[in-house]
Amino acid sequence: MAACRIVNQGMLEAIDSIKQCCASYEEAGQTLISSLTSAIGEMEGAAKDAFQTLIDNDIRQFVETDLPKAIEGMYTLLEENRRNFEEVDQKIADSISGS
């Protein structure tokens, strides 16, 4: 059986770092959308319309919603696991001390 060891402070720091990344990705996504829209601003015709639809739908959905939610899911999962380990550790300590 493999051992499992959680270092609480390290987990807290990792979770905080991932949260910060989430905000950075949201901002970068908005910048990407703005830049792409600006890049095709002078275009005309069906290609522009198709590209604008791609930007407004799939690209926007991915960079502004899907990616930030995936990152949020990761830090939520890590926080729940960290909290579970902390609770189990306390239960073991209580059991040992008879509390």
Side-chain angles (χ1 to χ4, degrees):
M1 175 184 264
C4 184
R5 178 175 177 250
I6 297 292
V7 178
N8 200 39
Q9 187 59 39
M11 290 292 286
L12 289 170
E13 290 169 5
I15 291 164
D16 186 53
S17 178
I18 293 169
K19 283 182 181 180
Q20 291 174 16
C21 286
C22 186
S24 296
Y25 275 109
E26 288 174 351
E27 184 179 327
Q30 292 166 357
T31 300
L32 175 65
I33 296 299
S34 176
S35 296
L36 289 172
T37 301
S38 178
I40 64 168
E42 298 294 321
M43 291 174 64
E44 295 179 6
K48 177 185 180 177
D49 295 343
F51 198 23
Q52 189 65 57
T53 298
L54 177 65
I55 293 167
D56 291 341
N57 295 319
D58 294 342
I59 295 174
R60 183 180 306 276
Q61 176 70 30
F62 178 73
V63 300
E64 290 185 356
T65 304
D66 296 343
L67 185 57
K69 280 186 178 181
I71 296 168
E72 181 180 343
M74 289 303 298
Y75 74 71
T76 299
L77 176 66
L78 286 174
E79 172 56 25
E80 289 174 4
N81 283 327
R82 185 205 61 78
R83 189 173 40 249
N84 285 339
F85 275 98
E86 189 174 59
E87 290 171 5
V88 167
D89 183 58
Q90 187 59 55
K91 287 178 184 177
I92 292 169
D94 293 346
S95 177
I96 292 169
S97 67
S99 299

